[in-house]
Amino acid sequence: MSFDSSDSTLVAPEVLRAEQALQTLRLRVTRHTDQQSRLKQFYRDWQQNWLDRAEHLHQQMNELEARISPWLPREASPRLSVMSVLDEAA
């Protein structure tokens, strides 16, 4: 059985549609994978930023507690906490 280059023009329309569908599927999977990777990176960056800010806020609270503790009675110990704007308004 030999392959003639003129045979390539006689490909069934179903085969062409199947090839096009496969190419479209590959493109969509690639785009989805890229979007998923970007979303994961965004989430990791957001989470790290949040953790960094929370740690910084805790350090500031500890420093403030240490500064005000000399003015409080010995049995009292200052404890600061973080409140949201909504909690503060209530």
Side-chain angles (χ1 to χ4, degrees):
M1 180 179 219
S2 66
F3 179 76
D4 186 352
S5 64
S6 63
D7 290 341
S8 65
T9 59
L10 302 175
V11 176
E14 295 82 14
V15 173
L16 292 176
R17 281 195 297 270
E19 286 178 349
Q20 186 176 17
L22 181 60
Q23 188 175 20
T24 301
L25 179 61
R26 283 183 182 145
L27 180 63
R28 287 182 180 173
V29 168
T30 300
R31 285 182 183 165
H32 178 76
T33 303
D34 291 346
Q35 281 181 327
Q36 190 176 16
S37 295
R38 286 194 306 272
L39 183 60
K40 283 181 181 179
Q41 186 61 44
F42 173 79
Y43 178 73
R44 273 189 229 113
D45 291 346
W46 176 84
Q47 186 177 29
Q48 188 60 50
N49 186 32
W50 186 88
L51 290 172
D52 291 345
R53 286 181 181 208
E55 178 62 28
H56 185 256
L57 186 57
H58 284 288
Q59 287 174 355
Q60 287 179 323
M61 288 182 349
N62 289 338
E63 289 174 14
L64 184 56
E65 286 175 352
R67 287 182 182 178
I68 64 174
S69 65
W71 290 283
L72 296 176
R74 292 207 181 264
E75 59 277 351
S77 86
R79 294 303 317 157
L80 301 177
S81 63
V82 178
M83 293 179 59
S84 74
V85 176
L86 298 175
D87 291 337
E88 192 175 298

